[in-house]
Amino acid sequence: MSSERRSAMHKMFFREAIARAVREEMRDNPNVLILGQDVGRFGGSYREFDGLFEEFGPERVRDMPVAEPAMVGMGVGAAAAGLRPLVSITYMDFMMLGLDPLINYGAKLRYKTGGQLTAPVVVKTTAGAKGQGVAHSQCIEAWLMSVPGLKVVAPATPADAYGLLKTALRSDGPVVYVDHKRLFPVAGEVPVDEIAIPFGSARLCRSGTDLTITAHSFMVRTALEAAKLLEKAGLSAEVIDLRSLAPLDINTIVASVKRTGRLLTLEEGQITTGVGAEVVTRVMEHLGPIDFTRVGPLPAPVSSNRVLEAACLPDAARVATAARLLQSSGKLVCSN
Amino acid sequence: MLYKISVPQVADVEEIRILEWHRQAGEPVAQGDLVVELETHKAIVEVRAGQNGYLRKILAEAGNWQGIGLPLAVLSDGQSEPVPEDVQALVDLPVDFEIT
Amino acid sequence: MPDQNLLTMLRTMKLIRAFEEALAARPDHGFQLISSGEEAVAVGLCASLLPSDQLLTGGRSIGPALARGVDPSRLMAELLGRSSGTNKGKGGRGHLADPARGFFGAHAVVGGNISIAAGVALALQMTGKDAIAAILFGDGAFGAGALHETLNISASMKLPLLFVCNNNQLSVSTPRSQALAPTHLSDIGAAFGIPSQTVDGMDLNAVRKSISKAANHVRAKRGPAFVECISYRFASHSTTARETRTSEELAEIRALCPIVSQSRALKAAGLLNDILAQELDRWVAETVEEALRFADASAMPDAEEALLDVI
């Protein structure tokens, strides 16, 4: 597969980018299969597996009972024994049920067997708040970043949804692939060529000079909106889409902050021990003390209540306010 | 009188892809006729004419994308009323739409 | 069953007993789970497996690993943390693995290997293999959700998975009768349409017959099967766990030794005499001695190896 070079582009929905990546890999390798709820004839809760059941049949696109511990365990075990499963967990909240087999077996397998076995499994899951309540809204990818042996990626665009999933399905160890409920209405250009996006590579999506905003997943869109607001206020924000949380592309972020001098990290997950905490710390390990602020949700569960959900989640206006505070005070800003 | 058909306001949808036109330019359209099918990220939207008229100009072909509320086609009561360049100012034709 | 196989099985039981006792006697034995008393389960199970099958176990893994044919020297080296061990010294008893020899591996999380085994079975099924996967777990794992989820899924998918529950009737300090509701643990099979049986785990021949029958069912691609082996462990749960039974109870239990009873049975059948028994014991002693020698002559891993094979 070629690296990120110019290719003819084709506009498609986020879900179509996912289906395309999976379809190509399933055509290419008979060992790729899907395990999940409503992935078969139903085509996935977001139609992200549309057409795959029709093309590949019930043996390779398997509807499973609700039993995340066993389903993740089976995916991990099947991977260890030579298959390449994609395990679909519809709500990231329910990944918690599968963390034991994923982490205690899957992520540790290569190490604990002294290299004899490895588990090339992709756990694909949808994070994020969208009116569905406290147990159907979480973004917990930060919890997974520190697990030795586990890779974690989060696309923010259809092109990256496609490219990162291609790489995930060809990885030789466990990968958690996190998309987001609010990304599914998004359409975007995807290369016609089969271009995989390597892990450990962040994407500069907007150049700027006054501060660096890092974000991932749906919050990249919020960051870009905030950048537009800031532009009107005379502030030039550079926006970096992390794309890959583990491994993290710290060099791209460091190079940016070196130029802009200020860092605002944005995430929908909690900022306590969050993605931003790790980004800030690593940047400072490279550059020494910098002006920074972490922006995230309120430290509360995210209710399905429309008013309370909106109060909890970061939006462009809040990000812009935090950025202006960062710029004017030049000091640590506590965002909640 | 001239009208435009715009992409209906569908909840949770930002833009659509035009799936198939069921009437061509120059053809008559009766109330209730299926004029065009649109694809959202979730489902297909069937757009039906809310009144009789003639389809005069298709503004975006199948496979193209259009945002919510933006124009798709020009219609008219009469068969040969002249079609203006600027369609934004045209009144929206009442439509029924069904999400399948 | 051919005489030679019967003698080999007896020898393997003796090997397990002597190997584990030698390990436990060492001051550097670390944290070990010994299976003295449960040898018939491991040996009867492995006698029913073919070379291409895969066996997965819980943390009481040494007996099953030896029964499966893992090299005793590489095994001892692993248990003593040497880089010449099966897992380069990095797994220890809780994660022993030798997949090339059909021992897919142990996993130290109680019940944690059960759904993994179903995944292995799925891979065998999807790649059209005739081999089966077998998962050995204890009564301590029987209450785990993973077991019940996996029974359901493997029955509904007709996976080539053999469930063997070694019910030694104690989960550390908790008697099975206190923790688990079914009258027989094999009763669980009926709920899922899985053929199930309970057998005396101290009787090698009974174990082997029952598990072979169950394995044949699985091999015929008729779906999973379940065998409960009722056994007794002679020692406490682990080398650090306190014993909960009285010395009277333990004396009664030790009288049920599967090695003693099998020796007696073979002698009665004219297949074993004192000379042969001594030969077996000598082979066992030499094998254990060689395993210890190999391990002691092997180096511990370098500190740098802590960062190898992580990702």
Side-chain angles (χ1 to χ4, degrees):
Chain A
M1 270 175 298
S2 37
S3 56
E4 289 181 77
R5 56 163 182 77
R6 293 172 140 269
S7 158
M9 305 292 265
H10 182 49
K11 187 167 175 178
M12 62 182 72
F13 289 115
F14 195 87
R15 65 166 176 83
E16 292 174 317
I18 291 173
R20 179 186 159 201
V22 182
R23 188 185 319 118
E24 285 171 5
E25 293 306 298
M26 288 183 76
R27 283 179 184 166
D28 193 68
N29 187 341
N31 288 333
V32 179
L33 71 153
I34 305 173
L35 304 175
Q37 284 78 51
D38 310 306
V39 297
R41 242 178 264 279
F42 196 68
S45 301
Y46 300 94
R47 296 181 58 196
E48 70 275 29
F49 301 121
D50 239 25
L52 299 180
F53 179 81
E54 286 73 24
E55 181 169 347
F56 300 103
E59 283 219 344
R60 294 186 65 194
V61 186
R62 293 195 185 228
D63 280 328
M64 303 287 286
V66 176
E68 286 86 351
M71 185 173 74
V72 174
M74 278 182 67
V76 171
L83 298 184
R84 284 188 167 274
L86 182 152
V87 178
S88 169
I89 306 239
T90 312
Y91 290 89
M92 191 173 199
D93 316 69
F94 306 121
M95 266 208 73
M96 296 184 211
L97 290 157
L99 290 183
D100 168 57
L102 176 63
I103 294 177
N104 283 328
Y105 191 88
K108 300 188 196 322
L109 185 62
R110 193 196 293 269
Y111 196 83
K112 79 189 186 89
T113 61
Q116 293 176 88
L117 294 170
T118 177
V121 59
V122 176
V123 176
K124 179 199 161 308
T125 190
T126 302
K130 199 177 174 186
Q132 296 189 39
V134 300
H136 291 77
S137 300
Q138 291 166 92
C139 300
I140 56 170
E141 53 273 14
W143 297 3
L144 305 174
M145 278 174 78
S146 60
V147 177
L150 191 64
K151 295 186 177 163
V152 184
V153 295
T157 64
D160 290 353
Y162 168 77
L164 288 173
L165 192 47
K166 293 278 281 183
T167 302
L169 287 166
R170 291 177 182 231
S171 292
D172 58 6
V175 176
V176 178
Y177 174 100
V178 185
D179 52 42
H180 193 291
K181 293 179 185 63
R182 294 172 75 187
L183 285 172
F184 282 94
V186 169
E189 302 283 355
V190 179
V192 167
D193 293 345
E194 287 193 31
I195 295 179
I197 313 265
F199 293 172
S201 161
R203 179 178 67 101
L204 177 67
C205 37
R206 183 189 223 267
S207 289
T209 54
D210 296 328
L211 86 152
T212 300
I213 302 178
T214 62
H216 67 279
S217 191
F218 181 77
M219 284 292 128
V220 172
R221 297 176 69 77
T222 305
L224 289 169
E225 263 187 73
K228 285 202 192 109
L229 294 177
L230 288 168
E231 191 172 38
K232 293 199 185 91
L235 230 88
S236 164
E238 181 147 291
V239 178
I240 295 178
D241 173 1
L242 299 177
R243 296 204 291 197
S244 181
L245 301 179
L248 188 66
D249 178 6
I250 198 60
N251 291 335
T252 297
I253 306 166
V254 164
S256 171
V257 178
K258 219 167 165 183
R259 278 183 274 111
T260 65
R262 288 183 200 89
L263 174 61
L264 183 155
T265 67
L266 174 61
E267 63 205 283
E268 190 177 322
Q270 291 293 318
I271 60 171
T272 299
T273 73
V275 175
E278 187 61 24
V279 169
V280 168
T281 306
R282 287 199 209 181
V283 169
M284 293 226 240
E285 284 171 341
H286 278 83
L287 299 180
I290 53 157
D291 292 342
F292 75 92
T293 186
R294 296 174 298 165
V295 179
L298 296 183
V302 182
S303 168
S304 53
N305 181 294
R306 183 172 45 81
V307 169
L308 299 181
E309 181 181 276
C312 272
L313 300 180
D315 58 21
R318 244 170 272 183
V319 174
T321 301
R324 285 199 302 272
L325 268 172
L326 174 64
Q327 197 245 358
S328 61
S329 74
K331 286 201 299 265
L332 232 68
V333 175
C334 187
S335 60
N336 59 359
Chain B
M1 187 159 161
L2 291 147
Y3 307 86
K4 65 182 188 315
I5 286 186
S6 301
V7 180
Q9 294 285 348
V10 181
D12 190 38
V13 171
E14 298 183 6
E15 57 185 314
I16 56 88
R17 182 168 54 212
I18 294 153
L19 184 58
E20 194 181 341
W21 284 99
H22 289 265
R23 286 286 180 277
Q24 295 309 313
E27 285 180 352
V29 171
Q31 182 179 3
D33 278 355
L34 177 61
V35 178
V36 66
E37 280 179 294
L38 309 174
E39 256 195 303
T40 74
H41 68 280
K42 276 197 281 213
I44 292 174
V45 180
E46 292 183 352
V47 181
R48 295 176 182 277
Q51 64 192 50
N52 297 345
Y54 288 86
L55 179 61
R56 302 298 305 287
K57 189 173 181 187
I58 287 175
L59 299 171
E61 293 298 335
N64 286 0
W65 294 77
Q66 186 59 291
I68 297 297
L70 296 182
L72 288 168
V74 178
L75 286 87
S76 58
D77 291 322
Q79 204 169 354
S80 37
E81 295 170 55
V83 176
E85 277 301 312
D86 176 21
V87 302
Q88 269 305 123
L90 294 179
V91 166
D92 274 306
L93 185 89
V95 295
D96 298 314
F97 70 90
E98 192 192 325
I99 299 166
T100 61
Chain C
M1 160 150 283
D3 302 348
Q4 191 50 47
N5 287 0
L6 285 168
L7 288 172
T8 305
M9 288 200 294
L10 176 63
R11 193 180 72 175
T12 306
M13 287 203 289
K14 286 171 176 275
L15 173 63
I16 294 171
R17 181 73 57 88
F19 184 102
E20 289 187 336
E21 282 177 352
L23 173 67
R26 290 187 55 118
D28 61 344
H29 64 69
F31 173 59
Q32 301 300 342
L33 271 58
I34 304 299
S35 66
S36 306
E38 302 167 34
E39 294 88 352
V41 177
V43 174
L45 163 55
C46 290
S48 312
L49 298 179
L50 297 176
S52 53
D53 294 337
Q54 285 293 353
L55 174 62
L56 295 90
T57 71
R60 203 174 300 276
S61 61
I62 302 169
L66 286 170
R68 191 68 180 122
V70 175
D71 177 58
S73 294
R74 305 268 327 277
L75 182 47
M76 186 65 84
E78 182 61 35
L79 293 167
L80 295 177
R82 308 297 202 252
S83 53
S84 60
T86 51
N87 302 35
K88 295 187 187 156
K90 291 166 104 156
R93 171 201 46 79
H95 303 282
L96 293 176
D98 193 351
R101 216 176 282 258
F103 190 73
F104 204 78
H107 189 50
V109 176
V110 175
N113 230 358
I114 298 176
S115 61
I116 305 296
V120 174
L122 176 64
L124 291 171
Q125 185 185 71
M126 287 198 66
T127 51
K129 303 281 194 303
D130 289 327
I132 69 173
I135 175 71
L136 177 65
F137 54 95
D139 52 292
F142 188 88
L147 172 63
H148 303 270
E149 295 178 9
T150 304
L151 286 167
N152 178 48
I153 292 172
S154 59
S156 114
M157 287 185 171
K158 283 185 135 66
L159 293 179
L161 182 57
L162 174 61
F163 293 84
V164 180
C165 179
N166 178 18
N167 176 10
N168 67 13
Q169 307 173 81
L170 264 181
S171 177
V172 188
S173 68
T174 306
R176 162 266 191 275
S177 54
Q178 200 177 309
L180 303 175
T183 303
H184 297 107
L185 298 187
S186 59
D187 290 344
I188 198 75
F192 301 102
I194 296 175
S196 310
Q197 220 186 339
T198 295
V199 71
D200 177 2
M202 307 305 276
D203 179 343
L204 174 65
N205 298 313
V207 171
R208 190 189 53 76
K209 271 209 185 88
S210 190
I211 294 184
S212 289
K213 184 163 164 236
N216 287 341
H217 173 93
V218 179
R219 246 179 254 296
K221 302 196 197 301
R222 293 162 64 191
F226 187 108
V227 179
E228 173 194 11
C229 304
I230 301 189
S231 63
Y232 295 85
R233 57 165 160 76
F234 290 174
S236 68
H237 165 73
S238 75
T239 50
T240 59
R242 283 168 283 132
E243 179 53 67
T244 56
R245 297 161 292 183
T246 65
S247 30
E248 290 76 29
E249 280 176 281
L250 286 171
E252 274 181 43
I253 285 167
R254 289 211 159 93
L256 302 169
C257 179
I259 297 173
V260 167
S261 63
Q262 184 65 358
S263 299
R264 198 180 296 134
L266 291 182
K267 278 183 180 158
L271 298 168
L272 181 70
N273 55 33
D274 287 341
I275 309 288
L276 263 176
Q278 273 168 42
E279 269 179 44
L280 297 182
D281 288 337
R282 186 166 45 240
W283 181 91
V284 164
E286 280 168 9
T287 303
V288 172
E289 204 184 295
E290 171 54 26
L292 289 166
R293 189 209 62 74
F294 176 81
D296 283 330
S298 298
M300 297 292 281
D302 292 326
E304 290 74 44
E305 289 180 47
L307 286 174
L308 294 182
D309 288 326
V310 173
I311 197 158

